Amino acid sequence: MSRPVLEIRKLAVTRNGMPALDVPDLSFAGGEICALIGPNGAGKTTLLLSLMGLVKGAAGEVLYRGERVEPGRGAAALRRRMSLVFQEPLLFSASVYSNIASGLRLRGMARGQVREGVERAMDLLGIAHLARRRAQALSGGEAQRVNLARALAVEPEVLLMDEPFSSLDAPSRETLIADLERIIRRRGITALFATHDRGEAIRLADRIVVMNRGVVAQDGDPNTITQYPADEFVASFMGTETILAGTVTASSGGVMTISVDGGAVEAAGTADAGTAVTFCVHPENIVLSDGVPGTSARNLFRGRVERVVPMGLFRKVYVRCGFMLVAYVTGQSIESMGIREGKEITASFKATAVHVIKAVDKK
């Protein structure tokens, strides 16, 4: 197994006497795209700045290809192999060409090398036609492309990005994400980007690190993080709103029955009767039907629609069936089934779709 490109060991940062970051162990492999996701104040930006050696007073260590990055010159040497992109482009009041060339010039490269590097980066991001335009005349999407071209022009081994897409409109965001993914994978760059948008994380990342209050809440691939959250915070942040508490009443053949709010939910797994559990069901795993559905799902509940919330091409439907279930439904299905507030409907999901977050034996 190859050595990680970046490693964190016992990294801790305090601000105003309060812990801002506490990451005992974390590593990033060559060529992987990793999303750091969490709410504001989770520690995402602090982690990125720590990797760049830009946070004062940080305890612990950062290793680059197995070698400890020392403060001062060591951190500066590491930064030459990395590029950092902020949410706001922070472009100079100069031409697009000059902005992209700035990092190459700071490295003392010859004029011909600078020109080649700038042209290569502009071609990658599709902005060669903007070379002579002033930074102030760019749209938001164009400015962020210039920002990324400047970062990529120095041919970094590691690319760090802090909320790089949050200020863009949806079409600009989608095309930029697609272009950036193509560039990163073609060049084998190790990329870390901070975001609070789970859609961006799932769309782009090979791996998601969920952060909360300066610590890592869960680390895994997008499917694991989404379908098998480590705790209620991760489940909620990744879009699961059906989070319920109940008590195991029976367990047999790899399936347990959980009593919850007067109903019974069957879930894959085993636990002793009397065990208190917290479990969740992702909204994509809940199917709504008008009438009795033809399904092998072990969980069928008749309920009443309490709320329908628009979500672009989908609708989030809240169904009260003793307890609350939240499902994603396409706009077409909403119309065909006549789903509206107050309508009676059937919700179903498989036992394997139920994920037990926490179990506590009351005995």
Side-chain angles (χ1 to χ4, degrees), residues 148-169:
L148 285 164
R150 179 172 57 184
L152 292 167
V154 298
E155 299 188 346
E157 295 181 58
V158 177
L159 179 63
L160 307 177
M161 299 173 285
D162 190 12
E163 304 279 2
F165 315 113
S166 62
S167 62
L168 304 180
D169 57 67

Side-chain angles (χ1 to χ4, degrees), residues 183-206:
I183 294 166
I184 289 172
R185 296 200 186 282
R186 181 181 298 174
R187 292 193 163 197
I189 296 171
T190 300
L192 284 70
F193 69 101
T195 181
H196 60 267
D197 188 319
R198 60 179 178 268
E200 288 179 4
I202 293 170
R203 163 69 178 81
L204 183 58
D206 305 309

Side-chain angles (χ1 to χ4, degrees), residues 92-134:
F92 302 120
S93 180
S95 68
V96 166
Y97 183 99
S98 294
N99 270 280
I100 298 172
S102 59
L104 298 168
R105 288 168 176 162
L106 285 172
R107 284 164 169 74
M109 299 182 72
R111 182 177 298 179
Q113 291 176 305
V114 170
R115 183 179 64 254
E116 290 176 5
V118 172
E119 291 177 350
R120 183 166 53 246
M122 289 194 298
D123 287 342
L124 283 172
L125 273 300
I127 54 173
H129 62 290
L130 301 175
R132 297 182 181 276
R133 188 175 298 182
R134 304 288 293 184

